[in-house]
Amino acid sequence: MSQDEDFQRQGRIVALVVAGVGLAWVIVTGLGAALDWSQRTRAFFDLAALAGFGTGIWMIYGLWRMRQKNKD
């Protein structure tokens, strides 16, 4: 597998992580409103989504650093 293919694969994984976290957050927010969950439970899922988005940003940073390292 070439480096360019590896970058593309990693980029797809990052995109799937961010999209998956966003979709899960929207679904859980809707469920929380429909099932009348407590604010504490909703806040827990909001923080979990925030952690997922933070992971996505960390993965993007790692991909950027890998591309900068192999640029030369």
Side-chain angles (χ1 to χ4, degrees):
M1 180 180 287
S2 72
Q3 285 183 342
D4 196 40
E5 289 175 353
D6 189 40
F7 288 136
Q8 291 175 358
R9 185 179 66 81
Q10 288 291 97
R12 284 191 300 268
I13 290 171
V14 170
L16 287 173
V17 166
V18 172
V21 168
L23 183 62
W25 184 47
V26 168
I27 290 170
V28 168
T29 301
L31 279 174
L35 299 176
D36 198 31
W37 289 347
S38 69
Q39 290 297 323
R40 187 176 190 173
T41 304
R42 292 182 195 185
F44 171 75
F45 285 109
D46 286 344
L47 289 174
L50 184 63
F53 285 126
T55 301
I57 290 172
W58 183 258
M59 291 171 72
I60 290 169
Y61 176 72
L63 186 62
W64 176 76
R65 290 293 298 155
M66 191 170 27
R67 187 173 291 271
Q68 292 296 320
K69 180 179 161 188
N70 294 326
K71 195 176 191 180
D72 298 331

